[in-house]
Amino acid sequence: MKKVLFVFLVLALSIGIFAAKYPTKPVTIICPWGAGGGTDRLARFLADQLSKELGKPFVVVNRTGGGGAVGHAAGAYAKPDGYTLTLVTLEIATMHWLGLTTLTYDDFDYIAQLNVDPAGVIVKADASWNSVTELLVDIAMNPGKLLFSGSGAGTIWDLSRIGMLNAVGIPPDYVIWSPTKGAAPSIVELLGGHVDVITCSIPEAWPQIAAGQLKALAIMSDERDPRFPDIPTLKEQGINWSSGTWRGVAVPKGTPDDVKTILGNAIQKIYNSDAFKDFMNKNGFGMTYKNSKEFYNFVKEQDKVWKAVLELGGYIH
């Protein structure tokens, strides 16, 4: 009996020593989106900070394609040993509903959420609407009159406007969605008078808002953003809807708990650092932290929310 206990003790100590030494070699962070974009910039900053914190190189690898499906799948199906992390994005809760992949949120273990960028409702500075309520009344009274833009069809800024309209009982097809490749070309369309409203994050349009060319009627967050304190939330205006894109760190399902704890502690320390706050502010990224359990529950709920919105928009049946 003593011999058996001794063997178990040795095994337990060996596992503990292994976990304590993690990482013992370079770690890959998979970014499902292209180099230079917001997710890539966050991934590279995080890799640099984790390298300093844990003493081994953390290297970003961009695995793009399939509307995020390629990179997310590469991360989810990697060996669950802690040496492959993924900077997961909102698309993990939408792309399987769109038929882009069989991968779902439940194929990952979650470490921490780091970011959320709420959608804004933005119009030209000389537009007649001075509140989102005035805009929504116009939409309800004049179906098919207004053009919205912000991103591609079925992507987050499109889904944000669908959810907003649904929250006040307006069918999504009461406005026309004019798809673009992202916020930047949508802003150009708005400035040129080719569309009437855009939904995108406030930081993406802030230069034009600050210059007096555009105005933000609302932000789709639970509370006002302290960086933009004059922009009211939808909820303040009686519309029970919040929406935005987000990013966080996940690992393959079955990664050892001790390794996840080491990563979680390191990432939380980085999140609370002045360097992280400065980086996020400089890039216009909203900061939101959720721990492993909170992040998992959030993504699980997001999966249900976006399925319903995609159905409302006619993207899935």
Side-chain angles (χ1 to χ4, degrees):
M1 184 66 180
K2 288 183 179 179
K3 186 176 180 181
V4 172
L5 287 172
F6 176 76
V7 170
F8 275 117
L9 180 61
V10 170
L11 284 171
L13 287 171
S14 298
I15 293 168
I17 290 168
F18 170 77
K21 285 184 176 179
Y22 170 86
T24 61
K25 61 183 182 179
V27 179
T28 295
I29 300 179
I30 292 178
C31 174
W33 305 99
T39 305
D40 177 71
R41 293 199 303 277
L42 178 55
R44 292 181 188 279
F45 179 83
L46 188 62
D48 179 65
Q49 296 297 304
L50 282 169
S51 298
K52 294 174 183 176
E53 188 66 30
L54 295 178
K56 292 293 179 182
F58 280 69
V59 181
V60 175
V61 175
N62 298 90
R63 296 291 299 274
T64 61
V70 171
H72 282 93
Y77 301 139
K79 187 177 179 181
D81 58 3
Y83 289 92
T84 303
L85 317 183
T86 305
L87 201 63
V88 294
T89 61
L90 168 134
E91 285 73 20
I92 192 64
T94 62
M95 58 190 178
H96 69 103
W97 296 121
L98 292 167
L100 300 175
T101 180
T102 57
L103 181 76
T104 76
Y105 72 92
D106 215 22
D107 290 305
F108 283 103
D109 283 344
Y110 293 84
I111 304 298
Q113 181 182 353
L114 301 173
N115 155 255
V116 63
D117 291 322
V121 182
I122 300 161
V123 298
K124 286 188 72 174
D126 61 0
S128 61
W129 315 290
N130 291 307
S131 71
V132 77
T133 305
E134 292 177 6
L135 170 65
L136 292 170
V137 167
D138 195 359
I139 293 169
M141 298 294 290
N142 299 281
K145 169 188 168 186
L146 300 181
L147 281 167
F148 272 56
S149 192
S151 58
T155 58
I156 181 57
W157 304 141
D158 179 20
L159 300 182
S160 295
R161 67 96 193 176
I162 292 171
M164 176 182 69
L165 295 175
N166 179 66
V168 293
I170 297 175
D173 61 3
Y174 268 40
V175 302
I176 299 167
W177 183 258
S178 178
T180 65
K181 291 185 178 181
S186 296
I187 291 167
V188 173
E189 290 290 293
L190 181 61
L191 290 169
H194 304 297
V195 298
D196 302 293
V197 186
I198 58 173
T199 45
C200 69
S201 73
I202 299 297
E204 287 174 303
W206 185 248
Q208 292 79 13
I209 295 170
Q213 297 172 295
L214 302 178
K215 61 182 175 183
L217 301 181
I219 187 170
M220 299 187 195
S221 55
D222 292 334
E223 298 176 351
R224 291 197 186 201
D225 189 321
R227 297 172 298 168
F228 317 110
D230 295 331
I231 303 175
T233 66
L234 288 180
K235 292 187 175 183
E236 284 178 61
Q237 301 175 76
I239 303 162
N240 187 26
W241 175 250
S242 59
S243 174
T245 190
W246 46 261
R247 304 173 178 96
V249 180
V251 292
K253 197 109 177 160
T255 297
D257 289 342
D258 287 347
V259 170
K260 289 187 287 189
T261 298
I262 291 169
L263 286 169
N265 290 340
I267 289 170
Q268 186 173 20
K269 184 177 178 181
I270 291 165
Y271 179 89
N272 290 325
S273 70
D274 289 338
F276 187 77
K277 292 182 180 74
D278 291 344
F279 168 81
M280 296 296 275
N281 287 332
K282 181 181 177 181
N283 284 273
F285 297 148
M287 291 178 61
T288 294
Y289 181 83
K290 287 185 175 67
N291 65 26
S292 176
K293 184 178 180 179
E294 292 167 339
F295 192 19
Y296 171 79
N297 289 335
F298 171 74
V299 179
K300 183 178 181 179
E301 181 61 25
Q302 286 277 284
D303 197 72
K304 297 176 184 175
V305 167
W306 296 120
K307 179 188 179 186
V309 175
L310 285 163
E311 287 173 340
L312 286 168
Y315 293 114
I316 57 174
H317 303 283

